[in-house]
Amino acid sequence: MRRLLLFLFRVAPLAAVMGTIFFLSSQPFTQLPLPNFFGLDKILHLIAYAVLGLSVLWFHCPGAKVPPWKAALWAFGVALFFGISDEYHQSFVPNRMVSGWDVVADGLGGLLVAGVWMVRRELRDYFCWLHRYLERRLLLPNK
């Protein structure tokens, strides 16, 4: 039971972010009620896929069994390929447009997180420390 809870603790953020992106891209509207700001759509794509990249890194944090460069590569790869599959999915949704620039913004979001992960060791260490701390406090109160 404890192993299942630990696995869910690692996977739940990733599934939640992917599910949210999928839900939002399934909506049959072309214009969200957003301010009229040039490039805002691409900025929102970049942010959403940066959060996706962070959730991939959250999955890879425990015990640091994966070298930082592999975790960064996973974060970028998952963001890019999920962005591509999301644009393909949008091609079937009424009133939605497929855009290669959205894929570029998605990939840049993953690349941004992967780059910070590789360059800023103290942020990487804090992120994994937070993961271990929450894991112990929430899931392993006896230890």
Side-chain angles (χ1 to χ4, degrees):
M1 180 66 172
R2 190 180 91 177
R3 292 188 114 183
L4 176 62
L5 287 174
L6 290 172
F7 179 74
L8 290 175
F9 180 72
R10 291 173 58 198
V11 171
L14 183 59
V17 173
M18 287 180 152
T20 301
I21 291 171
F22 185 84
F23 172 77
L24 290 174
S25 69
S26 297
Q27 303 309 306
F29 46 73
T30 55
Q31 293 292 331
L32 289 172
L34 296 172
N36 190 11
F37 178 82
F38 179 74
L40 181 62
D41 171 51
K42 304 308 176 248
I43 292 170
L44 293 175
H45 270 264
L46 187 135
I47 292 169
Y49 283 82
V51 172
L52 177 61
L54 275 174
S55 66
V56 171
L57 294 175
W58 182 263
F59 178 82
H60 283 293
C61 248
K65 293 178 183 174
V66 175
W69 68 269
K70 279 188 181 178
L73 189 61
W74 271 104
F76 171 66
V78 168
L80 181 62
F81 288 115
F82 194 73
I84 291 169
S85 69
D86 182 52
E87 289 301 310
Y88 179 71
H89 162 251
Q90 279 186 14
S91 70
F92 298 104
V93 178
N95 299 326
R96 294 302 293 256
M97 293 177 15
V98 175
S99 168
W101 291 111
D102 286 348
V103 174
V104 170
D106 301 342
L108 285 175
L111 188 62
L112 175 70
V113 167
V116 170
W117 185 257
M118 289 304 299
V119 172
R120 300 301 304 253
R121 181 184 175 128
E122 66 276 4
L123 291 176
R124 183 172 65 230
D125 291 345
Y126 176 74
F127 191 73
C128 289
W129 172 86
L130 179 64
H131 188 284
R132 288 187 301 273
Y133 176 80
L134 291 174
E135 184 180 84
R136 282 192 303 264
R137 287 290 192 197
L138 298 175
L139 302 175
L140 306 171
N142 305 5
K143 290 192 171 192

